[in-house]
């Protein structure tokens, strides 16, 4: 059986520019098992999907304890390495982020995403210096554990910030210097801009994919090392739930659930020894 550190080293090795890690995002144990059974070599949690499944809006409103408990359940459900999305770290200061990272490692995960969005703050993004300090604390906490945790620094410039590529590059360089192992730039879809980031940042680059995004082959050609789906799979699952309900209440038919996973198959996936 692989040790925690074995999984950490494996996860790290899967980040290859031009041959990206394809990372589905799970929100509970069952979705993680389904993804692993479909062939995923690693699993990531989605903070939005996790929050929704536990009855909370996304946006660091769920809280550290509930988020880490879910990470532990996902880790226990799969053999593949797991990376945890902890939003901006569930901490008001660097030590709070470090405490969250220690909890991620205790839960058995081998990777973590920490974003620079400032939920409820005076600005949509934390300052570069503030976020660099938070990432440095996360790096120190991981290093103290002896687990080679992959620290992925999410840059929200193209989601909630200016959308300026220069700012993205400034943040990416600073975050890597602070100890990040990779950078994640959701919302950046232009292949030339992605290639620029890849060329200027000395770390694996993660892109958020979904409808309208370049396909995996194109992203690989731009040098991307990791492609993830974020909350899209969870959103699609909830869309099925709504369509099925509307069909039942409206037409009184059941076509929306015609392609459901077989009950026995799904049940067997969760029947781990």
């Amino acid at each position: 059986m692989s040790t925690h550190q074995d999984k950490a080293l494996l996860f790290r090795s899967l980040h290859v520019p031009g041959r990206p890690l394809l990372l589905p995002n799970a929100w509970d144990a069952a979705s993680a098992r389904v993804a692993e059974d479909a062939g995923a070599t690693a699993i990531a949690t989605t903070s939005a999907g996790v929050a929704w499944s536990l009855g909370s809006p996304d946006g660091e409103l769920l809280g550290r304890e509930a988020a880490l408990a879910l990470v532990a359940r996902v880790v226990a459900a799969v053999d593949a390495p797991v990376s945890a999305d902890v939003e901006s770290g569930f901490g008001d200061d660097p030590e709070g982020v470090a405490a969250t990272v220690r909890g991620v490692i205790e839960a058995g995960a081998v990777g973590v995403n920490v974003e620079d969005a400032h939920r409820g703050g005076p600005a949509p993004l934390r300052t570069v210096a503030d976020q660099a300090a938070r990432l440095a604390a996360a790096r120190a906490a991981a290093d103290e554990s002896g687990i080679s945790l992959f620290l992925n620094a999410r840059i929200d410039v193209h989601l909630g910030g200016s959308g300026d590529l220069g700012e993205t590059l400034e943040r990416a360089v600073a975050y890597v210097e602070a100890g990040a192992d990779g950078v994640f730039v959701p919302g950046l879809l232009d292949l030339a801009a992605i290639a620029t980031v890849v060329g200027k940042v000395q770390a694996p680059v993660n892109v958020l994919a979904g409808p309208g995004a370049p396909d995996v082959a194109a992203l690989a050609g731009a040098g991307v090392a990791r492609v993830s789906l974020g909350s899209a799979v969870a959103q699609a699952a909830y869309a099925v739930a709504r369509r099925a309900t509307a069909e039942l209440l409206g037409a009184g038919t059941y076509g929306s659930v015609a392609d459901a996973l077989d009950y026995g198959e799904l049940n067997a996936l969760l029947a781990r020894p």
Side-chain angles (χ1 to χ4, degrees):
M1 180 178 293
S2 298
T3 68
H4 195 172
Q5 177 66 351
D6 288 338
K7 288 186 177 183
L9 294 174
L10 170 61
F11 185 67
R12 185 173 290 274
S13 74
L14 295 173
H15 293 76
V16 180
R19 198 173 73 238
L21 167 62
L22 305 180
L23 200 58
N25 296 83
W27 60 96
D28 61 8
S31 58
R33 282 292 294 127
V34 167
E36 182 178 49
D37 185 66
T41 56
I43 306 294
T45 62
T46 158
S47 66
V50 166
W52 298 333
S53 73
L54 296 176
S56 171
D58 189 26
E60 209 146 277
L61 299 174
L62 179 63
R64 178 192 293 150
E65 183 176 345
L68 293 180
L70 187 282
V71 171
R73 288 197 293 275
V74 168
V75 169
V78 296
D79 295 320
V82 173
S83 183
D85 181 350
V86 296
E87 304 192 42
S88 67
F90 297 113
D92 294 330
D93 53 23
E95 179 49 41
V97 178
T100 298
V101 167
R102 293 187 196 103
V104 165
I105 293 169
E106 289 170 4
V110 297
V112 68
N113 274 21
V114 180
E115 66 189 47
D116 57 8
H118 195 184
R119 310 289 186 176
L125 303 184
R126 297 181 185 277
T127 66
V128 174
D130 182 16
Q131 185 64 5
R134 294 166 72 84
L135 291 169
R139 176 80 277 149
D143 290 347
E144 289 166 6
S145 75
I147 299 298
S148 299
L149 186 83
F150 191 98
L151 175 58
N152 205 33
R154 176 171 142 173
I155 301 169
D156 273 1
V157 168
H158 296 271
L159 286 183
S162 66
D164 180 73
L165 186 60
E167 182 182 1
T168 294
L169 291 169
E170 176 191 3
R171 287 177 177 271
V173 170
Y175 296 169
V176 172
E177 289 178 350
D181 296 297
V183 295
F184 178 27
V185 193
L188 184 63
L189 298 178
D190 179 78
L191 285 172
I194 291 169
T196 297
V197 174
V198 169
K200 292 184 178 296
V201 178
Q202 301 302 307
V205 173
N206 180 186
V207 171
L208 181 66
D215 63 20
V216 169
L219 293 171
V224 170
R226 174 166 155 178
V227 178
S228 51
L229 292 172
S231 63
V233 181
Q235 289 173 255
Y238 291 127
V240 171
R242 182 162 68 180
R243 284 197 301 271
T245 302
E247 182 183 359
L248 174 66
L249 299 178
T253 53
Y254 326 107
S256 297
V257 294
D259 295 324
L261 283 176
D262 177 75
Y263 171 89
E265 179 186 359
L266 185 55
N267 209 44
L269 286 177
L270 275 296
R272 290 169 59 81

